[in-house]
Amino acid sequence: MSFKTFAAGLALFTVSALQAQLITGNFEQYPIFEECENVPAVALSTCFNETLINKIKAEFKMPQRVLDEQYQGDLVVLFEVTEEGTFELLHVTGIYEELRSEITRVFGELPQIKPATYNARPTYMQFNMPIPIPFSKDSSAIKDSSAIKDFKTGAVPVKKLEEQSEYDAIKTFPFENREYNSQLFIPFSHETYSRFDQELNRVGTNSHTAGKPFTYDNVNTYYDFKEAREGLYKKKESWFGRKLWNEHMVTLQGEDYWFTLDPAADLQLGFETANNEDQSYTYNNTRAVIFQGGLGKNLNFYTVVYESQGTFAGYFNRFARSIRPDGGNPAIVPGRGVAAESASGDFDYPVAEGYLSYTPNKYFNFQFGHGKNFIGDGYRSLLLSDNASPYPFFKLNTTFWKLKYTNTWMSLRDVRPEVVADGSFKTKYMANHYLSLNVTKRLNIGLFENVIWTNDNDRGFDLNYLNPVIFYRAIEFSTGSRGGNALIGLSGKYKFSDRFNAYAQVIIDEFSTGAVFSSDKSFQNKQGVQLGFKYYDAFHVDDLQLQVEFNQVRPYVYSNNEIELNYGHNNQSMAHLWGANFRELIAIARYRNDRWFGAAKFIYGERGFEIGDINQVYYGGSIYGNDENIPSELGIEIGQGNRANTFLGNVELGYLVNPSTNLKVYASVLYRDNRIEQFDPVNLNEQTVWVNFGFRTDLFNWYFDY
């Protein structure tokens, strides 16, 4: 082969090199040959390509068989410059073994160079080069890919080159984490959210913090996820080290799509001292798979599937069995789902969650999924909590100026024997409106309304409640008082400074001016209140957060004479996990240092449990009662019925293993002292110490505060 032919061919290789695709993100700097060390940064890519071609010219020899058979086709080369600066040929596609062998030999002769860098750290960089065979004869005119059309002999159509380049652009490394600017939910865990809570609550920020879970793009405005997470990364060179300590397990990314796939686990092993169930230990064995990603800039998706078995402390197991559904299943694990009986006699409870999140513009975000929602700035919520099992929902967020307006429609289940028909749980629907307004740089107020309805009495699906801008109380009145159950609420937050704020909620199930301001303590006084305070960097200790919260809900709140219209799902409250007829005081301290974290939580509460058959006398603690069975219309007090005082203390210490997947190891000690006036088979008079060790992908809140 003549040098002129080879030079012309290498000119086409120049075109291919200039087409080399930066597969997975923007790098700060290209790999650098020794000849390019003094070249300006903007010219490094050109210098890299030209130097690479000059070095290949000295080595590449066109196989004689290719020349003899006058072959025309493609040789596609995928190579990588590693973190150490060596050239590694990843894959070669060509019809002749001689072509593949020759390009492999040539790449083996290339020198070690300075690697590409990302955030000033060495990284690997991949290139995809489709090379037409034979090479073009004209080298002088080739400056960019548009010059391909000038070839007179042996030219490969532009379309074919583009198709091949587009197909081979699907690569997995290195991965640019687009999660940080996506519409994906930040998995709602109180410990995780405490890491950026202060940034969202600085004076003057226009954030809306009540509606949870947050999406990454909203929080990333105030909190740099990239800097925060990657600042925790460990320097690991091996694939296993990076995946264990820093990165998602499997990543795939193209120009306008990305995906991650991760295994997840929630493995707990512990023991308790109040051994009322004759069990030697407690455990939870959850295995899960998480798949998430994005298509374009506006559509994201997430799905996780859990398979779990376990048995817990006695008080928790008894409560799980007390809310068991009709149909033979032994329990509902609170916050998770219906449990079957495993081979060992423990709980076996599979759970699946997932959603789509679509943001067509800066004003609207649509979410459709199966999961949980939360409204409030506190540890508890009296409006809408993540206490119950996951459920199907559709959510519309509208944000502009100082306003955020959220509409959520949910499909819930009533699993009591009284309403189950033909083996199917009864379906009911819930819709709520929540308007958040930042009145000033310090003051936020929220307006809440909610309605629950069913399709009984041949009413069909009531389209009235699909209206996103209507007042539910008026609709409830116009469709009949038994057509739905409406509640209203208020919330507020005031930021005294960047380090101290106060928040509050009021829930109103029924409002009678005479009942509220009367000393008669009428049963019509159905309200609940919350008041809380947060103190960031407390006592000038960085990353120490203190929180105090008071909650009180009077008897009969969240219930309804049409029992299926209560504020519940799967025999669990959609608001506070204690239902109603209680008051409690909560104190929480959280601290973190690098990957280490710790929390201490103390709860003291006064509650009133039901006595005997709820269909005979209803004291207002359970939300599954009927007001027609109240003991009296006046003299209704918090704690009536079977009065109990409960103290819970919980201390947890842990280490964040992987910031990208939120994998943690931890140890916790929970102390529970429950004092009740009369015997109750579920709520025993007992003291419990529950010690637990765990390895957990922290994706949701586990509440053991029963």
Side-chain angles (χ1 to χ4, degrees):
M1 181 180 68
S2 69
F3 179 79
K4 180 178 179 182
T5 302
F6 182 81
L10 264 295
L12 178 58
F13 198 87
T14 304
V15 174
S16 299
L18 290 171
Q19 286 183 321
Q21 297 183 24
L22 179 54
I23 303 299
T24 55
N26 296 320
F27 287 82
E28 291 183 356
Q29 189 167 275
Y30 254 62
I32 302 176
F33 283 98
E34 182 179 354
E35 294 87 337
C36 301
E37 289 185 352
N38 296 321
V39 171
V42 294
L44 280 178
S45 61
T46 301
C47 185
F48 172 83
N49 288 326
E50 292 177 351
T51 306
L52 175 61
I53 291 166
N54 289 335
K55 291 184 179 297
I56 293 176
K57 281 181 182 180
E59 293 292 334
F60 191 89
K61 297 178 181 179
M62 185 69 73
Q64 188 61 41
R65 180 184 175 186
V66 176
L67 298 175
D68 293 344
E69 297 185 8
Q70 298 182 350
Y71 168 72
Q72 296 184 20
D74 289 339
L75 177 67
V76 182
V77 181
L78 175 66
F79 70 92
E80 174 180 290
V81 180
T82 69
E83 294 181 7
E84 292 74 30
T86 58
F87 285 84
E88 181 178 345
L89 197 59
L90 302 177
H91 187 72
V92 180
T93 302
I95 190 172
Y96 294 113
E97 175 61 31
E98 292 89 340
L99 280 174
R100 299 195 296 270
S101 297
E102 179 62 14
I103 198 65
T104 300
R105 183 191 68 80
V106 170
F107 267 81
E109 300 293 329
L110 293 174
Q112 185 173 5
I113 64 177
K114 290 184 179 180
T117 58
Y118 182 69
N119 266 3
R121 294 194 298 270
T123 188
Y124 34 78
M125 185 174 184
Q126 290 181 346
F127 298 84
N128 175 48
M129 295 184 178
I131 307 171
I133 302 295
F135 301 144
S136 169
K137 296 181 179 181
D138 183 5
S139 64
S140 61
I142 308 305
K143 299 300 180 184
D144 55 41
S145 60
S146 63
I148 296 175
K149 61 186 178 183
D150 295 328
F151 292 163
K152 303 299 182 183
T153 304
V156 178
V158 175
K159 181 177 181 181
K160 185 173 183 179
L161 279 174
E162 289 174 347
E163 289 175 348
Q164 182 68 57
S165 175
E166 179 181 0
Y167 176 80
D168 285 339
I170 304 176
K171 306 303 172 190
T172 59
F173 300 103
F175 182 70
E176 173 194 1
N177 203 329
R178 301 180 188 175
E179 179 182 39
Y180 304 144
N181 295 301
S182 71
Q183 289 82 44
L184 286 174
F185 297 156
I186 305 168
F188 181 34
S189 151
H190 288 299
E191 194 284 322
T192 301
Y193 276 43
S194 70
R195 293 176 174 264
F196 48 77
D197 196 41
Q198 182 176 9
E199 280 69 22
L200 295 181
N201 282 288
R202 296 189 184 278
V203 175
T205 57
N206 193 30
S207 61
H208 298 270
T209 58
K212 298 178 177 72
F214 302 139
T215 57
Y216 280 97
D217 61 336
N218 285 335
V219 175
N220 208 41
T221 304
Y222 309 100
Y223 177 81
D224 192 334
F225 278 101
K226 181 180 178 63
E227 179 182 353
R229 284 192 181 176
E230 297 184 9
L232 296 174
Y233 280 3
K234 294 179 180 291
K235 186 173 178 58
K236 297 292 180 181
E237 301 297 334
S238 68
W239 178 89
F240 179 78
R242 296 197 315 269
K243 297 304 176 182
L244 175 62
W245 298 104
N246 298 333
E247 301 176 358
H248 292 285
M249 181 60 68
V250 179
T251 58
L252 178 66
Q253 182 169 293
E255 182 178 352
D256 54 3
Y257 54 85
W258 65 273
F259 311 102
T260 68
L261 180 68
D262 291 289
D266 190 348
L267 308 177
Q268 305 172 24
L269 182 63
F271 64 90
E272 65 161 325
T273 57
N275 193 351
N276 295 302
E277 296 198 345
D278 194 27
Q279 58 185 27
S280 58
Y281 61 91
T282 66
Y283 77 94
N284 185 71
N285 177 19
T286 294
R287 295 86 60 210
V289 176
I290 306 167
F291 184 45
Q292 65 178 6
L295 298 174
K297 295 181 179 180
N298 300 328
L299 178 64
N300 292 102
F301 68 89
Y302 174 96
T303 184
V304 56
V305 179
Y306 303 88
E307 178 58 38
S308 304
Q309 296 83 37
T311 185
F312 309 92
Y315 76 91
F316 194 82
N317 288 342
R318 291 193 302 272
F319 180 73
R321 294 189 179 100
S322 74
I323 60 173
R324 63 183 177 274
D326 182 55
N329 292 102
I332 293 177
V333 177
R336 305 312 293 146
V338 176
E341 188 170 350
S342 69
S344 62
D346 300 327
F347 301 141
D348 186 338
Y349 58 104
V351 179
E353 297 184 59
Y355 61 87
L356 294 172
S357 181
Y358 177 64
T359 303
N361 53 52
K362 66 180 181 179
Y363 300 111
F364 298 105
N365 170 251
F366 301 91
Q367 302 165 10
F368 177 65
H370 188 269
K372 304 182 184 183
N373 295 275
F374 187 98
I375 297 177
D377 288 289
Y379 177 69
R380 310 284 200 201
S381 175
L382 306 185
L383 306 182
L384 180 66
S385 178
D386 61 337
N387 163 65
S389 306
Y391 47 82
F393 70 89
F394 178 76
K395 181 188 287 188
L396 167 61
N397 288 304
T398 305
T399 307
F400 65 96
W401 188 49
K402 301 177 182 181
L403 292 168
K404 183 174 183 179
Y405 185 48
T406 301
N407 305 92
T408 311
W409 294 270
M410 294 153 275
S411 176
L412 310 179
R413 297 292 182 270
D414 192 329
V415 299
R416 295 173 299 118
E418 296 86 346
V419 296
V420 171
D422 299 325
S424 297
F425 299 142
K426 185 177 181 62
T427 299
K428 61 182 181 181
Y429 303 96
M430 178 185 289
N432 67 50
H433 301 161
Y434 183 74
L435 175 64
S436 173
L437 169 64
N438 287 322
V439 181
T440 70
K441 294 181 178 180
R442 298 177 183 270
L443 176 64
N444 172 274
I445 61 172
L447 305 176
F448 172 83
E449 62 170 345
N450 172 283
V451 68
I452 305 153
W453 77 99
T454 66
N455 294 337
D456 288 348
N457 303 322
D458 299 323
R459 294 175 62 238
F461 189 86
D462 198 332
L463 297 179
N464 286 291
Y465 297 126
L466 295 184
N467 192 322
V469 291
I470 204 165
F471 191 54
Y472 287 147
R473 276 290 189 183
I475 293 298
E476 180 198 24
F477 183 80
S478 65
T479 57
S481 61
R482 296 183 183 271
N485 179 23
L487 298 87
I488 60 175
L490 301 171
S491 70
K493 180 179 65 178
Y494 189 81
K495 295 178 278 191
F496 294 94
S497 68
D498 289 346
R499 296 172 55 196
F500 187 78
N501 68 51
Y503 58 90
Q505 286 185 346
V506 176
I507 185 71
I508 303 173
D509 191 354
E510 186 173 332
F511 188 84
S512 169
T513 305
V516 171
F517 297 103
S518 172
S519 61
D520 293 334
K521 301 179 182 178
S522 169
F523 83 100
Q524 293 179 315
N525 187 3
K526 298 181 183 179
Q527 292 88 36
V529 295
Q530 177 187 86
L531 180 63
F533 302 90
K534 291 182 181 179
Y535 184 19
Y536 306 104
D537 295 336
F539 307 111
H540 302 285
V541 177
D542 290 345
D543 298 319
L544 174 62
Q545 178 180 319
L546 302 180
Q547 181 177 1
V548 177
E549 181 175 303
F550 173 77
N551 295 293
Q552 174 179 292
V553 178
R554 283 186 52 78
Y556 311 116
V557 179
Y558 306 120
S559 64
N560 192 266
N561 290 341
E562 298 295 321
I563 299 178
E564 63 268 25
L565 297 181
N566 61 42
Y567 207 62
H569 166 59
N570 269 10
N571 284 342
Q572 302 155 81
S573 169
M574 289 290 286
H576 197 289
L577 54 82
W578 286 358
N581 193 11
F582 70 87
R583 58 170 61 94
E584 70 168 346
L585 182 65
I586 305 173
I588 303 173
R590 301 185 189 276
Y591 178 73
R592 68 180 186 275
N593 185 2
D594 193 48
R595 293 194 181 206
W596 292 95
F597 65 91
K601 177 175 60 182
F602 302 96
I603 301 173
Y604 180 77
E606 178 186 16
R607 296 189 274 176
F609 291 100
E610 304 303 323
I611 301 175
D613 187 355
I614 194 174
N615 295 316
Q616 297 297 320
V617 181
Y618 176 39
Y619 290 99
S622 169
I623 65 173
Y624 287 88
N626 188 327
D627 289 359
E628 295 175 355
N629 299 320
I630 62 177
S632 65
E633 293 189 0
L634 302 177
I636 302 301
E637 296 182 339
I638 292 176
Q640 68 179 17
N642 195 359
R643 186 182 300 271
N645 293 294
T646 304
F647 174 80
L648 293 123
N650 183 217
V651 177
E652 180 175 294
L653 298 175
Y655 184 78
L656 180 61
V657 177
N658 189 321
S660 294
T661 61
N662 218 16
L663 179 64
K664 301 171 181 178
V665 293
Y666 68 92
S668 69
V669 179
L670 182 146
Y671 172 75
R672 179 179 183 268
D673 184 5
N674 190 64
R675 303 293 178 180
I676 192 165
E677 291 181 348
Q678 301 181 39
F679 173 78
D680 185 296
V682 176
N683 303 287
L684 299 180
N685 200 16
E686 65 181 348
Q687 290 180 322
T688 301
V689 176
W690 186 14
V691 180
N692 229 345
F693 301 92
F695 184 81
R696 181 183 186 214
T697 306
D698 197 8
L699 302 177
F700 58 89
N701 288 310
W702 264 110
Y703 294 108
F704 296 109
D705 310 332
Y706 290 92

